[in-house]
């Protein structure tokens, strides 16, 4: 992990996370220049490197300011941008009342260099609106906490997402922000950028195994798929829950819903690492898709009480990790289904044995 490579100032944030394999390397470039975003690039060279032209990146025309060297080693690239935070409440009859939008491109972001932990491979990007007329952020902040991984495993805190060394986890945190309504709910707008030949698809999976995330049976994945084949190029994966505590428990769960994926008919915020990498193709051959993720139940009491919200999502390359039935669940299922079956078989054997042992008080004549 390296912070602002080739730049000595901490007035802007650019975090480069590089994962090196025997024959390839993966690059994650997190930044708050413009709207907070992450650029994901997979290469077929273990020595590929990120290059940044800082003077051009911070100029009004950043196209071409970020590239991977050597350029021909890139086999797949995509980007995820967190553009806006909406706040709304239910109005009768069956209507939603939206408050003025928080545009994340207009936030003021603290230096993440102070939160960078090279041992734990974590960093936190925290910000507040540059102008906050309503004072909602006077005692609060919005943050993105990044965690990279060296091996496969499972996150220690709920929702305990399963990860691999090819993925990173992002935790969206809203803490201390004063809601503007009595039953406010929040909605995060997430945009993705795909080059020609790839498209995004939202997939929902259900499982009866909730051992690691109690009472949550749904996993959602935003997949980037090649249009020429059925292969999966990259993913965003999350469980259908958020939490209202820094040390989440089952009772802290907040309902999380994904509102349909759509092709966006707007342009991304200017001066971002996304425009710096994709350049002119961003407005021509690239496809921008947007997804809204909402948090809160019908009344939204959980956030009202605790003023804390956290949502975890896994980002990575290739197929997303899949949970398999754990030995504990297999054992419980085997006992639950096997015991009645064993009793039925044993009962049948006893009946057959009893029939064989039947006798009469009359002796056979011959």
């Amino acid at each position: 992990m390296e912070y602002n490579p080739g730049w000595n100032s901490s007035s802007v944030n650019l975090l480069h996370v590089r994962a090196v394999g025997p024959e390839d390397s993966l690059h994650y470039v997190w930044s708050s220049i413009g709207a907070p975003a992450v650029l994901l690039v997979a290469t077929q060279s273990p020595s590929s490197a990120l290059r940044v032209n800082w003077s051009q990146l911070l100029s009004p025309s950043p196209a071409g300011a970020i590239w991977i060297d050597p350029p021909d080693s890139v086999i797949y690239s995509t980007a995820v941008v967190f553009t806006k935070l909406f706040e709304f409440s239910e109005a009768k009859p069956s209507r939603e009342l939206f408050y003025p939008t928080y545009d994340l491109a207009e936030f003021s972001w603290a230096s993440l260099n102070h939160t960078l932990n090279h041992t734990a491979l974590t960093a936190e990007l925290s910000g507040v609106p540059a102008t906050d007329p309503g004072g909602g952020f006077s005692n609060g902040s919005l943050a993105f906490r990044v965690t990279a991984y060296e091996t496969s495993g499972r996150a220690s805190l709920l929702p305990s997402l399963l990860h691999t060394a090819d993925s990173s986890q992002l935790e969206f945190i809203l803490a201390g922000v004063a809601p503007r309504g009595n039953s406010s709910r929040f909605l995060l707008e997430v945009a993705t950028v795909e080059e020609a030949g790839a498209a995004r698809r939202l997939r929902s999976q259900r499982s009866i195994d909730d051992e690691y995330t109690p009472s949550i049976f749904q996993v959602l994945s935003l997949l980037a798929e090649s249009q020429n084949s059925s292969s999966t190029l990259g993913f965003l994966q999350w469980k259908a829950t958020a939490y209202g505590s820094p040390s989440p428990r089952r009772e802290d769960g907040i309902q999380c819903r994904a509102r349909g994926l759509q092709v966006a008919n707007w342009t991304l915020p200017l001066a971002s690492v996304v425009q710096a990498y994709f350049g002119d193709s961003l407005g021509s051959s690239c496809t921008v898709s947007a997804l809204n993720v909402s948090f809160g139940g019908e009344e939204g009491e959980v956030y009202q009480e605790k003023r804390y919200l956290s949502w975890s999502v896994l980002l990575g390359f290739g197929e997303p990790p899949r949970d398999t039935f754990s030995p504990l669940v297999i054992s419980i299922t085997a006992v639950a289904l096997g015991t009645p079956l064993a009793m039925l078989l044993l009962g049948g054997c006893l009946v057959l044995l009893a029939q064989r042992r039947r006798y009469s008080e009359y002796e056979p004549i011959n």
Side-chain angles (χ1 to χ4, degrees):
M1 303 177 74
E2 52 182 350
Y3 175 68
N4 287 353
W7 186 255
N8 295 326
S9 173
S10 60
S11 59
V12 294
N13 291 307
L14 189 146
L15 176 66
H16 177 218
V17 181
R18 180 169 173 255
V20 182
E23 298 179 353
D24 55 8
S25 58
L26 308 175
H27 299 266
Y28 293 83
V29 185
W30 304 86
S31 176
S32 61
I33 303 173
V38 56
L39 174 67
L40 298 89
V41 183
T43 72
Q44 56 186 358
S45 169
S47 59
S48 62
L50 175 72
R51 306 299 183 195
V52 181
N53 183 330
W54 281 98
S55 58
Q56 186 176 354
L57 177 62
L58 301 177
S59 71
S61 301
I66 292 178
W67 70 98
I68 298 295
D69 192 20
D72 58 359
S73 67
V74 176
I75 55 176
Y76 173 65
S77 56
T78 184
V80 180
V81 188
F82 302 93
T83 53
K84 296 177 181 178
L85 179 69
F86 298 93
E87 182 182 351
F88 64 97
S89 61
E90 295 291 341
K92 296 180 181 181
S94 300
R95 293 172 56 191
E96 293 177 344
L97 173 64
F98 278 83
Y99 299 97
T101 304
Y102 292 115
D103 190 343
L104 301 189
E106 298 177 356
F107 270 46
S108 176
W109 301 95
S111 173
L112 62 77
N113 192 36
H114 304 299
T115 65
L116 188 58
N117 188 324
H118 290 275
T119 302
L121 299 179
T122 60
E124 184 172 313
L125 184 65
S126 178
V128 296
T131 58
D132 186 19
F137 278 80
S138 57
N139 295 313
S141 65
L142 181 152
F144 294 95
R145 183 178 298 157
V146 179
T147 304
Y149 300 105
E150 292 182 313
T151 58
S152 299
R154 189 180 296 275
S156 58
L157 297 178
L158 291 176
S160 303
L161 294 176
L162 182 66
H163 62 258
T164 67
D166 294 346
S167 60
S168 294
Q169 179 173 292
L170 178 72
E171 187 179 0
F172 166 71
I173 302 171
L174 199 64
V177 178
R180 290 172 284 187
N182 294 328
S183 58
S184 284
R185 296 160 61 185
F186 291 95
L187 186 150
L188 179 66
E189 184 180 69
V190 183
T192 63
V193 178
E194 294 295 333
E195 292 183 306
R200 289 278 176 174
R201 177 176 67 90
L202 183 63
R203 181 179 71 188
S204 175
Q205 291 180 308
R206 293 185 177 272
S207 171
I208 64 172
D209 188 356
D210 68 337
E211 177 185 358
Y212 299 105
T213 311
S215 75
I216 304 301
F217 303 95
Q218 185 182 19
V219 178
L220 295 106
S221 301
L222 187 57
L223 306 175
E225 296 179 331
S226 173
Q227 295 178 338
N228 299 326
S229 64
S230 58
S231 61
T232 301
L233 304 173
F235 66 87
L236 277 76
Q237 185 184 63
W238 66 95
K239 293 192 175 183
T241 184
Y243 291 94
S245 171
S247 302
R249 297 169 297 174
R250 176 183 175 181
E251 54 267 30
D252 299 318
I254 298 175
Q255 191 176 42
C256 173
R257 293 177 178 175
R259 302 193 175 191
L261 178 68
Q262 296 182 349
V263 176
N265 57 359
W266 42 264
T267 57
L268 293 175
L270 296 175
S272 68
V273 292
V274 179
Q275 288 193 332
Y277 180 82
F278 289 101
D280 296 334
S281 64
L282 188 60
S284 55
S285 59
C286 289
T287 301
V288 179
S289 303
L291 175 76
N292 292 332
V293 181
S294 64
F295 311 101
E298 295 301 325
E299 301 298 333
E301 291 91 348
V302 175
Y303 184 81
Q304 289 282 350
E305 294 174 359
K306 302 184 179 180
R307 299 285 178 93
Y308 189 91
L309 174 111
S310 69
W311 173 63
S312 298
V313 57
L314 196 71
L315 303 92
F317 299 89
E319 283 283 348
R322 292 198 178 191
D323 269 319
T324 57
F325 288 108
S326 65
L328 175 62
V329 172
I330 293 175
S331 302
I332 293 173
T333 305
V335 171
L337 297 179
T339 301
L341 181 61
M343 294 179 65
L344 182 63
L345 292 175
L346 180 61
C349 292
L350 291 176
V351 170
L352 292 175
L353 187 60
Q355 288 179 346
R356 278 191 166 188
R357 290 187 175 181
R358 284 182 182 176
Y359 63 91
S360 173
E361 60 183 2
Y362 297 99
E363 296 291 333
I365 296 176
N366 187 357

